[in-house]
């Protein structure tokens, strides 16, 4: 569902028909530009980026309909989600760690797009970028119990850990919000497994680095 160019940046194939936007998911080799980012706090706080400067506000998702300014989030295992409204040309960039996912940050972003720009969920296309996957993400019961069964599996170890699929949890929330499942594109890449390509907080907690996911409206 996504492919990388010579710049090392992944792009969602399902977004390419929309020539009025530009987007990308960063790797160790390169990051797309982002004019506006947030001081991320693992929350469900959504910020309208119109007229905003870089890192002026705290939060974990940006929405905008401004032309020519890119919005972005930084990740190193958390789920980066980019949204576009095919009708009204509003866009969003979402940072969804386990706390943000449990708080339904992507659903809050969709609600904010509706309230600020008149977006209908049925007009939204979504791209899910590289993140830690269920193959690598073990959590305790106190975290696992905050998610629906479809995104949690018992790890099968004596420690009582569970495997959490954050990408699937966010997909479920986007579908519940009204996004057509066929318009949700997941790259399927695991930041923890694929050491050479991606930074990972789980793998390198002392110095994980960060990757940028961004989107801009060009016209």
């Amino acid at each position: 569902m996504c492919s990388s160019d010579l710049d090392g940046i992944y792009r969602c194939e399902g977004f390419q028909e929309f020539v009025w936007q530009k987007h990308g998911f960063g790797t160790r080799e390169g990051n797309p530009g982002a004019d506006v980012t947030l001081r991320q706090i693992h929350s469900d706080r959504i910020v309208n980026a119109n007229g905003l400067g870089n890192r002026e506000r705290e939060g974990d998702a940006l929405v905008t309909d401004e032309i020519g300014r890119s919005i972005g989030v930084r990740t190193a295992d958390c789920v980066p989600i980019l949204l576009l409204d095919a009708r009204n040309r509003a866009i969003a960039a979402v940072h969804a760690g386990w706390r943000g996912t449990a708080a339904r940050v992507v659903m809050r972003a969709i609600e904010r797009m509706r309230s600020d720009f008149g977006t209908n969920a049925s007009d939204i296309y979504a791209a899910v970028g590289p993140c830690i996957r269920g193959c690598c993400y073990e959590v305790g019961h106190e975290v696992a119990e905050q998610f629906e069964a479809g995104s949690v599996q018992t790890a099968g170890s004596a420690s009582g850990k569970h495997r959490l699929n954050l990408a699937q949890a966010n997909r479920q929330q986007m579908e519940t919000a009204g996004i057509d499942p066929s318009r949700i594109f997941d790259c399927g890449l695991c930041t923890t497994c694929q050491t050479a390509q991606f930074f990972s907080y789980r793998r390198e907690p002392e110095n994980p680095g960060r990757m940028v996911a961004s989107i801009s409206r060009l016209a």
Side-chain angles (χ1 to χ4, degrees):
M1 291 294 183
C2 63
S3 58
S4 63
D5 292 329
L6 294 177
D7 57 9
I9 297 170
Y10 279 88
R11 295 173 177 88
C12 174
E13 295 172 5
F15 276 25
Q16 298 308 335
E17 66 179 283
F18 303 106
V19 297
W20 54 265
Q21 61 78 39
K22 180 179 179 181
H23 76 282
F25 295 99
T27 66
R28 285 182 180 269
E29 298 173 1
N31 281 310
D35 297 316
V36 183
T37 63
L38 295 165
R39 301 192 303 275
Q40 295 171 190
I41 55 175
H42 293 277
S43 69
D44 65 347
R45 187 177 298 173
I46 315 302
V47 177
N48 187 321
N50 288 7
L52 201 64
N54 190 38
R55 294 181 62 83
E56 281 189 14
R57 300 275 298 279
E58 290 185 341
D60 288 278
L62 287 159
V63 299
T64 188
D65 64 351
E66 281 189 313
I67 295 172
R69 298 181 75 222
S70 56
I71 55 174
V73 293
R74 301 176 309 281
T75 61
D77 280 340
C78 295
V79 185
I81 303 168
L82 302 176
L83 306 174
L84 66 82
D85 174 351
R87 183 181 299 274
N88 296 323
R89 299 192 177 185
I91 53 176
V94 181
H95 163 253
W98 78 259
R99 290 180 179 84
T101 302
R104 302 180 181 275
V105 63
V106 72
M107 296 182 77
R108 304 287 181 263
I110 294 166
E111 291 168 1
R112 188 66 181 270
M113 291 173 75
R114 179 171 59 248
S115 65
D116 288 12
F117 312 119
T119 295
N120 290 318
S122 59
D123 294 320
I124 292 177
Y125 287 68
V128 179
C131 63
I132 192 170
R133 302 281 166 167
C135 54
C136 295
Y137 196 20
E138 287 193 354
V139 298
H141 179 71
E142 70 285 354
V143 173
E145 67 180 359
Q146 299 183 54
F147 297 89
E148 296 180 22
S151 57
V152 178
Q153 293 183 336
T154 301
S157 64
S159 65
K161 294 286 187 178
H162 303 267
R163 294 193 186 277
L164 175 58
N165 187 335
L166 281 180
Q168 176 61 22
N170 280 281
R171 170 182 280 276
Q172 290 171 334
Q173 292 177 17
M174 288 188 280
E175 291 180 6
T176 297
I179 299 180
D180 186 328
S182 69
R183 294 180 173 181
I184 302 173
F185 306 98
D186 186 350
C187 73
L189 299 170
C190 179
T191 50
T192 307
C193 283
Q194 292 166 270
T195 307
Q197 283 190 293
F198 305 113
F199 296 112
S200 168
Y201 182 83
R202 178 59 62 105
R203 191 181 58 240
E204 307 166 85
E206 295 182 359
N207 185 28
R210 292 292 186 274
M211 297 167 296
V212 174
S214 75
I215 186 167
S216 60
R217 176 181 172 179
L218 303 178

